[in-house]
Amino acid sequence: MVAWVGQKVLDACHYVWALWELASQALCDLVRPGEQGRRETLRVITRQILFTGVDALPVTTVIALMLGIIIITQAGTQLPRLGAGGLVGSIIVITVIRELGPLVTAIIVVGRSGTAIATELGNMSVGREVVALQLLGIPVARFIVMPRMVGMVAAMICLTLYFDVVAVLGGFLVAKAKLTIPFDAFLEGVTRALSLPDVALTALKPILFGSAVAAVCCHHGLSVRSSYTEVPQQTTRAMINSVTLCLLLDLLITVPTYL
Amino acid sequence: MSRAIELSDVVAGLEPEGQATQLSLAIDPGEFVVLLGPNRAGKSLILEVCAGLVTPQQGRVRVLGEEWVELSDHGRMKLRTRIGTVLQLPGLLSNMTVFNNAALPLRYHRPTLSDRDIDRVVTGHLTALGLAQLRDRFPAQLNPGEIRCAAIARAMVLDQELLLLDDPVAGLDAGTVQRLGEHLANRRQRGPFTVLATLRSYSPFLELADRVAVVREGRIEAIAPRSVIAQTGSAEMSAYFR
């Protein structure tokens, strides 16, 4: 039993180290881009931003609107009974802007783009496209991993901000229509509850989540070796590990900041 | 002058079968050498060792004057721009058209080259290999022979000094084999251009070779000009020369 636990811990350490290596290599490539392949790399980054960010706008809008409406409906109906009706604005800041915005956006991105990356790279690995790139003298980290990571982080930052705005607006719509809370009071509650750390974390979390999701999905995609049947297996692992890692990062940020 | 390829007492394993390739091989710049032998003889492994994909357990591998094990990552990538390699699975990028696949090395490694120049170089290779009409197709829309030709075009656009081809005629019709031969011959006329290719059966492609190496069970049994091998080889080997 002890040996089994020890092996699992070692495996987890190796896994995290592999992710760190991939992410740090991508960061190095970003900082020192070099002249070679700049145009091609930019093309991949743009495509990744379009796919992860722009194409995800409709689904993000719907989810953010529904979430904002649900939260405000619950808060707006329960809090006045406790004599805390003025805290509706705070609730949306605490739940949406601090936590649910970055997390739900990360889950959307994992479900849409993370799985797509893992599948694409898995198929590329089996089809020996990754080896072919190496043989052409094109570094896989620079051409495949770094652009996807940069694209995903950029898209994640924008999507999170967009998610927050739409969720707050959704909440306001309910507040205005059903709960008769005036917009000014609602907005004042939101701005009063919003602190500088909230804004900073709203920017920091998508950067960390985006990097983590991209690193995990690229790692699993590139881990596929010999068979197409490995692709869905690695994709599933990538999805679960991405969500777990995002939650873990969120925990590591939230607890020291707010506790 | 250093050799284009120099394998000295190389031992490389074939996992999981455990069969090991043990050989020495020297190829001069500008030579055209074909590794000939049955399936699972170790031909592809020799090619992968030369391409720096497989690190041998023993021995030295020197390609275009550089030893793979002594090179940094950057050095390896730089050397690879001087070597064109097409493996059995050519690995065309499935999300790019034939043209964009062939243009990728130029776009990546020659950032100062204009789109017009890239178009000229790539179209030249594609036309020579009979792919001009298929330039806007994706790999999934091609047959295996066309995929192989597109990969060969991609492996030559940087004007590489060395070409490693693993079973280049697999899936190719007779006309395309002839076109490929002519394209390689034209390239050889323009300057030193070394070719190391593998074949597992007779093909007119064999006629292009300066020397033929017979590979069996991981070893080079004989290496000599084609006519010599054809005359002195075993009865079994004669099947490879018709």
Side-chain angles (χ1 to χ4, degrees):
Chain A
M1 181 66 184
V2 174
W4 182 82
V5 172
Q7 188 58 50
K8 288 288 167 195
V9 171
L10 269 179
D11 289 347
C13 289
H14 283 144
Y15 181 72
V16 171
W17 180 248
L19 293 181
W20 170 248
E21 270 190 329
L22 205 63
S24 56
Q25 181 63 51
L27 194 65
C28 286
D29 288 333
L30 180 67
V31 176
R32 291 174 300 173
E35 272 305 308
Q36 284 193 332
R38 189 175 279 188
R39 210 163 44 158
E40 285 305 295
T41 309
L42 268 176
R43 199 172 292 175
V44 183
I45 291 175
T46 312
R47 225 173 38 208
Q48 191 63 51
I49 291 174
L50 281 176
F51 176 65
T52 306
V54 179
D55 291 356
L57 284 177
V59 69
T60 307
T61 308
V62 173
I63 291 174
L65 261 179
M66 291 194 294
L67 206 69
I69 291 169
I70 290 166
I71 288 168
I72 290 301
T73 304
Q74 290 289 0
T77 52
Q78 299 302 317
L79 289 178
R81 289 187 199 169
L82 304 168
L87 293 178
V88 172
S90 305
I91 290 293
I92 201 127
V93 168
I94 291 167
T95 54
V96 174
I97 297 178
R98 278 187 191 172
E99 295 302 331
L100 287 179
L103 261 182
V104 175
T105 308
I107 291 169
I108 294 170
V109 168
V110 169
R112 279 190 81 257
S113 310
T115 51
I117 287 176
T119 309
E120 182 193 13
L121 299 192
N123 286 329
M124 282 178 76
S125 298
V126 182
R128 303 215 83 185
E129 293 173 39
V130 175
V131 174
L133 282 174
Q134 284 176 340
L135 290 171
L136 291 170
I138 298 176
V140 172
R142 178 169 290 185
F143 187 69
I144 289 185
V145 181
M146 185 271 277
R148 281 166 178 77
M149 199 171 276
V150 172
M152 192 166 261
V153 168
M156 191 90 103
I157 293 170
C158 298
L159 270 186
T160 305
L161 288 173
Y162 178 77
F163 186 99
D164 289 349
V165 170
V166 173
V168 171
L169 275 177
F172 163 69
L173 287 177
V174 174
K176 188 174 171 58
K178 292 285 177 193
L179 305 174
T180 63
I181 298 172
F183 182 64
D184 290 348
F186 179 80
L187 198 64
E188 195 196 326
V190 170
T191 48
R192 200 177 50 229
L194 200 63
S195 63
L196 197 63
D198 293 326
V199 179
L201 290 182
T202 301
L204 176 69
K205 281 185 182 177
I207 293 173
L208 292 177
F209 293 173
S211 309
V213 172
V216 169
C217 295
C218 287
H219 171 76
H220 282 279
L222 295 171
S223 299
V224 174
R225 284 287 166 260
S226 51
S227 159
Y228 284 107
T229 53
E230 281 179 49
V231 177
Q233 292 167 354
Q234 289 292 349
T235 304
T236 311
R237 271 181 219 152
M239 195 169 152
I240 291 168
N241 290 357
S242 295
V243 173
T244 310
L245 196 56
C246 286
L247 282 168
L248 186 68
L249 286 169
D250 197 22
L251 190 81
L252 291 174
I253 295 168
T254 302
V255 172
T257 310
Y258 297 108
L259 201 65
Chain B
M1 194 163 76
S2 66
R3 309 265 198 189
I5 295 175
E6 197 170 358
L7 308 183
S8 313
D9 305 317
V10 164
V11 177
L14 276 173
E15 297 290 341
E17 297 93 307
Q19 185 190 350
T21 292
Q22 288 179 296
L23 54 95
S24 293
L25 176 68
I27 299 174
D28 287 326
E31 255 196 309
F32 194 132
V33 176
V34 167
L35 302 174
L36 187 66
N39 287 337
R40 299 259 149 225
K43 306 183 296 294
S44 301
L45 184 64
I46 296 170
L47 222 63
E48 288 182 5
V49 167
C50 294
L53 281 180
V54 173
T55 307
Q57 290 110 359
Q58 282 177 42
R60 289 174 54 209
V61 181
R62 209 170 170 79
V63 177
L64 299 176
E66 310 266 13
E67 238 176 275
W68 282 115
V69 288
E70 288 175 358
L71 293 172
S72 63
D73 285 349
H74 180 69
R76 283 172 163 253
M77 289 302 165
K78 213 170 159 189
L79 179 57
R80 281 186 171 136
T81 61
R82 298 167 62 198
I83 305 169
T85 309
V86 181
L87 301 177
Q88 275 187 18
L89 271 179
L92 280 192
L93 298 184
S94 50
N95 61 350
M96 288 187 186
T97 61
V98 167
F99 180 86
N100 286 334
N101 259 290
L104 180 63
L106 285 170
R107 286 179 176 149
Y108 196 90
H109 294 294
R110 309 270 191 274
T112 52
L113 217 58
S114 68
D115 286 343
R116 200 171 159 177
D117 286 337
I118 290 173
D119 191 286
R120 183 179 50 76
V121 173
V122 173
T123 305
H125 283 281
L126 294 181
T127 307
L129 292 168
L131 293 171
Q133 306 291 321
L134 307 173
R135 54 180 276 153
D136 294 324
R137 295 219 184 154
F138 286 90
Q141 299 169 302
L142 304 177
N143 66 39
E146 290 161 348
I147 289 175
R148 191 166 299 280
C149 278
I152 292 171
R154 184 176 67 177
M156 292 178 72
V157 290
L158 289 176
D159 232 2
Q160 282 90 337
E161 298 157 54
L162 169 65
L163 192 60
L164 304 171
L165 300 173
D166 199 352
D167 211 355
V169 295
L172 266 59
D173 58 57
T176 312
V177 173
Q178 193 181 347
R179 269 198 297 270
L180 173 62
E182 285 167 4
H183 191 48
L184 294 181
N186 285 339
R187 172 63 187 86
R188 290 179 81 196
Q189 277 174 2
R190 282 195 287 116
F193 180 59
T194 312
V195 181
L196 176 62
T198 70
L199 285 179
R200 54 184 157 164
S201 60
Y202 173 80
S203 161
F205 190 78
L206 197 59
E207 318 272 337
L208 299 167
D210 298 319
R211 286 192 296 160
V212 174
V214 178
V215 183
R216 258 201 298 217
E217 294 176 1
R219 289 164 205 280
I220 293 181
E221 282 190 350
I223 180 164
R226 190 184 66 84
S227 54
V228 176
I229 293 276
Q231 283 164 11
T232 57
S234 62
E236 192 188 340
M237 281 314 295
S238 65
Y240 289 91
F241 299 94
R242 301 238 291 223

